[in-house]
Amino acid sequence: MIWPKLCLIAASAQLATAQTNYSQYVNPFIGSEGPIAGYAYGGGDIFVGGAVPFGVVKLGIDTWEDRIDIATLNGGYTPNGVVTGVSMMHESGTGGCPKYGVVSQMPLASVASPVNILNDTTYWQKRVGTDEATVGYFHTDLEDGISISLAGARHAGIMQYDFPPGAEQHVLVDVSHFLPDPPGGFCTQYYVDGSINISDDGKNYTGYGTYAGGFNLGAPYTVYFCGEFDTAAVEAKTFTGQNTTRIVNGPPPQPTFGGNSAQAGSEGYRVGALFSWGAPNTSSEASIVSSRVGISFISKEKACAFKDSEISSWDQQETVKAAQDEWNRDIFSTIQVDTGPEANQTLLTLLYSSLYFMHLMPSDRTGENPLWERDTFRNTFSLSHLIQPKAYESQIRGLIDIWRHQGFMPDGRSGNDNGLTQGGSNADNVLADAYVKGLRGAIDWQDGYAAMVKDAEVSTNGSNKEGRGALDDWLTYGYLTLNSERSISRTVEYSANDFALSQVAKGEKPEDVEKYLKRSAGWQLLWDPNVPSVNTTPIFKGFLTPRSADGTFNSSDYNPATCGVCSWPSITYEGTPFEYSFVIPHDVETLIGLMGDSDGFESRLDYIFLPNTSQTNLGANGVGITSIMNIGNEPDFATPYLYNYINKQWKSVNQSRALGNQYFRNAPFGVPGNSDSGALNSWFIWQMLGMYPIVSQPVYLLGSPWFSDINMTVNGNSTLRITADGLGKETYFVQSVKINGAAWEQNWFGHDSPEQRLMVDGGTIEFVLGSDPVEWERGDVPPSPGHVILNGTGKYRV
Ligand SMILES: *[C@@H]1O[C@H](CO)[C@@H](O)[C@H](O)[C@H]1NC(C)=O
Ligand SMILES: *[C@@H]1O[C@H](CO)[C@@H](O)[C@H](O)[C@H]1NC(C)=O
Ligand SMILES: *[C@@H]1O[C@H](CO)[C@@H](O)[C@H](O)[C@H]1NC(C)=O
Ligand SMILES: *[C@@H]1O[C@H](CO)[C@@H](O)[C@H](O)[C@H]1NC(C)=O
Ligand SMILES: *[C@@H]1O[C@H](CO)[C@@H](O)[C@H](O)[C@H]1NC(C)=O
Ligand SMILES: *[C@@H]1O[C@H](CO)[C@@H](O)[C@H](O)[C@H]1NC(C)=O
Ligand SMILES: *[C@@H]1O[C@H](CO)[C@@H](O)[C@H](O)[C@H]1NC(C)=O
Ligand SMILES: *[C@@H]1O[C@H](CO)[C@@H](O)[C@H](O)[C@H]1NC(C)=O
Ligand SMILES: *[C@@H]1O[C@H](CO)[C@@H](O)[C@H](O)[C@H]1NC(C)=O
Ligand SMILES: *[C@@H]1O[C@H](CO)[C@@H](O)[C@H](O)[C@H]1NC(C)=O
Ligand SMILES: *[C@@H]1O[C@H](CO)[C@@H](O)[C@H](O)[C@H]1NC(C)=O
Ligand SMILES: *[C@@H]1O[C@H](CO)[C@@H](O)[C@H](O)[C@H]1NC(C)=O
């Protein structure tokens, strides 16, 4: 799930100070492990390796780990897995199945039997020693004595293989390599087609591979590659082999070696090449083989051009340095805090590592779109808002372009194909969020609104690929009946989506506003005021409840704190109805009324944060979390801040800070669940900044910052300065706030309201913090711009 990961206002221009090397604070391993030592399961599913911000190339090792059920190969890297290859493309922080692990090499010290280059189990290598990684760079040592060092540029990478003294030197290029999945997995990847040509001098190779499947069940996509070695191989030959992945029946497949060229052909053969330099003349001689490789979605010529222009030196450190400079300049320097000797190094690591993981995805495919021509920035995960204004604007254009050319805006896009839609058509929320914050730029908003209307009005006949799979119910009844999968969570999300439409309609098609606002109240039709909680003390009454087409609620044996497997066929997705009953950001006012006004709302909120209240097992999406409130997954992201809506901001600070302290750490198991392309990391950044954005509203709730002085670049070249006077280990409750020098009594502020335009022009927020929890705020609670009261409880028609 993605949508609450909205709107960190960072910016591209650096503040006018000498460049600090923020890269030194990044720990690239945060999120690489889950709660079971040695396994990635339940961790961040992150990529570890060399990459630039939004890099298409994420150069890292691919691994295989026994106990494949908890290995979680999604980012390629696992804490203890054996190395099966080094590859150019990875995702970072996606749950579900692996994707990519394509365009690979593998250095080998022997290719003699039992090594069979068609069977990676015969040559894979354990890692020995401790892996090293910094921004842009990765190093590991293999059991066979070979060391691998990797550095990534935008569409290219440079590998360095240090062979042990006297050893043979080979590099296997397996076009048919990709990240595998547990056998029988429903979204495994597969190799579709491939070709490779070697230059006559044995130094260069070009070709393409076509792959399909993976976490978004994507259609086939083709990657072109262009590789080069620093020294010509003594022997270079292609090979083909039977189409296998890890498991085949019958006799072991054997490669057929060929000349300079190999194609999959109509047999669908696996293809690749083997480059060999033999052994050095003396047994004491060690030797290094370097390779640089470029990739493109357009052509091998472009792949070669990327290789040559982005990696112009065989000195790998130059590529590392270029990557670090880019991260420092474009990403890290947008949030500046004191890095002096007094600074808390752990907090610096947490801040800059979070920024790092937030910007590994999506990948910037500008000029690299094989499906239509347009300078666009396409999302593998489409809903990342947390970026510089320029990149952000082109992302929005990318979303609209995908609608223009492929029919619908995407959700979970990857490998040039739309993904799987878990909840609503949440690109709608992204567009509305941009719109209400005044983003116009070069965006064609008439088309943008048309793309949203398509989501809201055109049935996808039950598909989970794009649009709204249960639109027929939504349009007929105003809610999803219990015959629709995920009826409660999708009703909640379709409500938010239609609220998003109403907000864009205000400017683009005013006559639609009322219709979509009314539809955004659809969640109220699933609210059964009589349904009690089960096994809780006290008992709470009134929950979102499954409802049939004839209007009757099915509350027999209903426990809103459970959802079975909480997945595709369940009533709610990756969260319980108890949690989703809090997720109505556009109309918290009505929600509070339904929960028994402020007191009822507050006590129910208090309850869900208590340990040992969870009654359901959310698997990898909530490992080790025993409260109903699950910070490990998106539905609950805004929930800790809801106390602001009853003017008890100190409780928001208390709960959200406790979550930050408990679950976000400078350690391999340092994020509570898959980071969803950086969504968890951005939640934590907002927490450290002392504010939280409300989706599709130009509104930020105030929290309490973790640093006493923060300069944040907003809107390209403005600075928002956030100070926290009195901040200490035990002194973090807000006592008072000033905005632009004047006392500020509300616990929220607008993006560019008449009183202040903090996120447009910059300005100052001055917190005074102390140890006393006080109700410091006065006046209006945060707005509920989608406040609608429905008449009666009968059928509802638009
Ligand atoms: C910046 O920090 C990185 C990571 O620690 C380090 O590799 C690099 O050498 C540093 N760069 C400079 C210019 O000091
Ligand atoms: C190999 O690539 C290099 C760098 O692009 C180029 O200069 C050289 O001509 C290529 N060699 C062959 C035989 O294509
Ligand atoms: C490889 O070379 C053959 C013959 O020289 C050519 O027909 C083919 O297009 C080339 N393939 C690639 C991927 O460059
Ligand atoms: C691959 O090699 C392993 C031994 O490492 C063997 O057990 C397995 O059967 C082989 N698989 C195939 C498909 O030949
Ligand atoms: C290889 O096998 C897989 C699964 O059996 C199949 O989906 C794929 O199309 C095959 N690839 C080729 C190139 O024939
Ligand atoms: C290794 O031996 C070969 C052939 O005997 C010779 O051509 C080559 O120059 C030698 N290499 C080194 C580094 O001495
Ligand atoms: C923030 O900017 C102000 C004004 O330029 C400067 O005085 C202050 O030192 C900066 N603080 C940090 C942490 O960079
Ligand atoms: C630095 O911050 C961490 C994380 O909040 C905290 O655990 C630690 O106690 C702090 N160190 C000091 C010296 O305050
Ligand atoms: C849904 O089904 C209808 C009727 O078969 C068809 O006309 C329509 O194109 C389908 N919608 C989509 C988005 O495929
Ligand atoms: C009503 O809920 C019960 C218990 O959760 C379930 O067994 C039953 O199938 C549901 N009825 C309908 C019509 O969905
Ligand atoms: C800041 O950037 C905006 C938009 O790019 C531009 O219109 C404005 O002139 C810039 N202001 C300054 C002071 O550079
Ligand atoms: C809801 O009730 C109000 C007040 O009674 C009435 O004005 C309005 O027309 C009703 N709306 C609908 C949709 O029935």
Side-chain angles (χ1 to χ4, degrees):
M1 303 242 325
I2 12 302
W3 53 265
K5 177 196 172 182
L6 293 183
C7 20
L8 181 59
I9 306 302
S12 58
Q14 73 209 74
L15 297 170
T17 51
Q19 195 56 256
T20 304
N21 185 14
Y22 296 102
S23 294
Q24 67 188 292
Y25 304 115
V26 173
N27 176 354
F29 293 102
I30 294 178
S32 61
E33 197 172 58
I36 305 167
Y39 292 93
Y41 173 81
D45 297 2
I46 53 149
F47 160 77
V48 180
V52 297
F54 308 120
V56 174
V57 163
K58 296 185 199 0
L59 180 61
I61 54 173
D62 293 337
T63 62
W64 173 268
E65 203 169 16
D66 284 331
R67 287 294 316 270
I68 188 64
D69 56 324
I70 56 169
T72 314
L73 311 177
N74 298 13
Y77 183 90
T78 52
N80 292 333
V82 291
V83 175
T84 62
V86 161
S87 74
M88 303 289 285
M89 293 184 69
H90 294 95
E91 301 270 28
S92 185
T94 53
C97 305
K99 178 97 187 178
Y100 298 138
V102 297
V103 186
S104 72
Q105 294 186 347
M106 179 71 185
L108 298 172
S110 165
V111 291
S113 180
V115 170
N116 174 351
I117 57 174
L118 291 181
N119 180 348
D120 60 9
T121 71
T122 66
Y123 60 75
W124 62 26
Q125 289 292 316
K126 282 190 185 138
R127 285 176 280 159
V128 295
T130 309
D131 295 337
E132 281 169 52
T134 57
V135 172
Y137 176 79
F138 176 81
H139 177 98
T140 192
D141 298 316
L142 305 182
E143 194 177 30
D144 61 11
I146 299 175
S147 295
I148 297 177
S149 302
L150 307 174
R154 183 159 303 284
H155 311 87
I158 176 165
M159 304 78 157
Q160 186 177 304
Y161 306 119
D162 290 58
F163 289 88
E168 287 178 27
Q169 298 156 15
H170 309 272
V171 173
L172 171 66
V173 174
D174 182 359
V175 179
S176 44
H177 169 97
F178 54 83
L179 283 173
D181 206 33
F186 82 106
C187 49
T188 188
Q189 300 193 78
Y190 51 100
Y191 159 74
V192 177
D193 191 13
S195 168
I196 189 165
N197 285 354
I198 306 172
S199 67
D200 290 337
D201 62 1
K203 231 182 147 204
N204 301 352
Y205 63 91
T206 56
Y208 67 85
T210 304
Y211 315 90
F215 99 100
N216 64 333
L217 305 183
Y221 64 95
T222 295
V223 191
Y224 297 87
F225 52 81
C226 176
E228 180 186 355
F229 293 99
D230 61 339
T231 325
V234 173
E235 187 186 22
K237 53 192 177 184
T238 61
F239 67 86
T240 56
Q242 188 190 332
N243 173 16
T244 58
T245 50
R246 190 171 308 281
I247 290 163
V248 290
N249 298 318
Q254 294 299 329
T256 305
F257 288 99
N260 280 354
S261 177
Q263 335 278 323
S266 56
E267 308 293 331
Y269 284 138
R270 294 176 56 183
V271 301
L274 185 63
F275 295 85
S276 301
W277 290 263
N281 294 352
T282 63
S283 63
S284 61
E285 212 176 315
S287 180
I288 295 176
V289 172
S290 291
S291 179
R292 47 179 191 152
V293 179
I295 61 170
S296 165
F297 290 97
I298 306 292
S299 67
K300 62 180 199 242
E301 288 76 18
K302 270 195 90 172
C304 292
F306 283 138
K307 164 179 72 73
D308 293 343
S309 65
E310 294 179 8
I311 301 185
S312 55
S313 157
W314 285 107
D315 179 356
Q316 191 179 49
Q317 281 307 309
E318 288 192 22
T319 299
V320 175
K321 186 173 182 310
Q324 291 181 350
D325 286 349
E326 184 172 343
W327 281 98
N328 287 338
R329 186 188 62 233
D330 291 349
I331 305 297
F332 302 142
S333 68
T334 60
I335 299 182
Q336 302 196 350
V337 298
D338 184 9
T339 56
E342 308 281 280
N344 182 323
Q345 300 294 308
T346 305
L347 290 180
L348 292 177
T349 299
L350 289 171
L351 174 63
Y352 292 105
S353 302
S354 300
L355 274 168
Y356 172 76
F357 286 111
M358 203 180 91
H359 290 92
L360 283 174
M361 298 271 284
S363 61
D364 178 355
R365 302 253 176 101
T366 300
E368 271 289 284
N369 182 347
L371 303 176
W372 61 91
E373 277 184 39
R374 167 93 193 249
D375 209 31
T376 186
F377 186 159
R378 314 240 321 275
N379 305 317
T380 39
F381 259 76
S382 56
L383 307 187
S384 168
H385 248 187
L386 315 185
I387 39 166
Q388 298 90 346
K390 250 176 70 188
Y392 174 43
E393 181 187 321
S394 72
Q395 273 201 332
I396 304 269
R397 287 161 55 202
L399 291 176
I400 299 170
D401 260 2
I402 291 166
W403 159 81
R404 200 174 279 132
H405 294 275
Q406 294 187 330
F408 283 92
M409 293 192 288
D411 204 334
R413 190 178 171 90
S414 183
N416 303 321
D417 201 15
N418 283 355
L420 279 173
T421 303
Q422 304 168 334
S425 49
N426 290 335
D428 300 343
N429 304 0
V430 180
L431 263 62
D433 202 75
Y435 196 82
V436 300
K437 289 173 182 166
L439 184 71
R440 297 297 180 266
I443 296 168
D444 182 338
W445 275 108
Q446 281 195 344
D447 276 8
Y449 185 61
M452 296 170 77
V453 168
K454 181 143 187 204
D455 284 338
E457 304 294 347
V458 177
S459 170
T460 55
N461 305 319
S463 159
N464 284 332
K465 185 175 174 64
E466 54 203 359
R468 299 191 202 166
L471 190 67
D472 298 338
D473 263 12
W474 183 245
L475 295 183
T476 308
Y477 305 102
Y479 60 91
L480 271 55
T481 67
L482 43 68
N483 295 327
S484 285
E485 295 187 335
R486 311 187 295 292
S487 64
I488 290 179
S489 52
R490 285 199 290 180
T491 292
V492 163
E493 297 211 353
Y494 290 6
S495 299
N497 297 153
D498 278 342
F499 171 73
L501 269 100
S502 75
Q503 299 305 290
V504 178
K506 277 187 189 168
E508 300 302 316
K509 200 157 183 243
E511 62 270 34
D512 282 359
V513 172
E514 203 188 330
K515 163 173 144 184
Y516 288 117
L517 261 185
K518 265 193 193 165
R519 277 169 54 167
S520 80
W523 66 275
Q524 294 179 35
L525 299 171
L526 286 191
W527 195 274
D528 184 339
N530 300 313
V531 161
S533 60
V534 179
N535 298 327
T536 69
T537 316
I539 307 276
F540 303 99
K541 260 185 132 182
F543 284 93
L544 295 168
T545 303
R547 193 176 194 189
S548 51
D550 68 10
T552 53
F553 287 108
N554 181 10
S555 50
S556 57
D557 295 330
Y558 179 52
N559 179 352
T562 62
C563 44
V565 293
C566 310
S567 186
W568 300 96
S570 309
I571 51 175
T572 46
Y573 191 85
E574 292 185 3
T576 60
F578 215 116
E579 295 164 78
Y580 277 99
S581 290
F582 279 107
V583 187
I584 313 293
H586 56 288
D587 191 4
V588 181
E589 183 178 343
T590 297
L591 187 63
I592 291 172
L594 291 172
M595 287 193 183
D597 297 329
S598 294
D599 289 349
F601 186 72
E602 182 178 352
S603 61
R604 194 185 293 201
L605 262 182
D606 288 347
Y607 180 78
I608 64 169
F609 289 90
L610 298 176
N612 305 317
T613 50
S614 170
Q615 300 184 42
T616 202
N617 179 0
L618 291 173
N621 290 301
V623 186
I625 295 178
T626 68
S627 54
I628 289 177
M629 166 70 214
N630 175 13
I631 194 56
N633 208 19
E634 282 85 341
D636 299 354
F637 270 9
T639 303
Y641 294 94
L642 289 177
Y643 294 99
N644 284 43
Y645 287 85
I646 51 172
N647 273 352
K648 289 202 175 171
Q649 191 259 5
W650 71 269
K651 282 200 169 183
S652 296
V653 169
N654 203 35
Q655 303 285 27
S656 62
R657 208 174 188 91
L659 294 171
N661 276 322
Q662 186 173 356
Y663 294 110
F664 293 81
R665 290 181 305 241
N666 178 19
F669 182 35
V671 289
N674 77 67
S675 79
D676 265 333
S677 308
L680 282 186
N681 309 103
S682 56
W683 182 89
F684 187 50
I685 293 170
W686 283 111
Q687 167 62 209
M688 289 192 283
L689 291 171
M691 51 187 164
Y692 197 78
I694 297 302
V695 58
S696 7
Q697 296 175 40
V699 167
Y700 304 82
L701 307 182
L702 288 170
S704 164
W706 291 42
F707 297 91
S708 55
D709 191 5
I710 304 169
N711 284 323
M712 178 179 174
T713 308
V714 295
N715 197 30
N717 52 15
S718 307
T719 301
L720 171 63
R721 187 173 185 192
I722 302 165
T723 56
D725 190 19
L727 169 65
K729 250 186 144 165
E730 312 291 334
T731 52
Y732 47 76
F733 290 111
V734 176
Q735 310 295 304
S736 66
V737 174
K738 281 184 185 169
I739 287 186
N740 289 342
W744 188 264
E745 302 208 307
Q746 292 169 340
N747 62 32
W748 59 280
F749 64 93
H751 182 80
D752 58 347
S753 51
E755 310 87 67
Q756 50 72 28
R757 292 162 41 90
L758 283 182
M759 295 313 201
V760 178
D761 297 338
T764 58
I765 309 179
E766 296 166 73
F767 289 86
V768 175
L769 305 181
S771 54
D772 292 340
V774 291
E775 283 169 30
W776 60 274
E777 69 269 55
R778 311 265 173 278
D780 290 346
V781 297
S784 287
H787 184 54
V788 171
I789 299 171
L790 291 185
N791 295 5
T793 54
K795 273 194 191 178
Y796 174 82
R797 282 175 194 280
V798 174

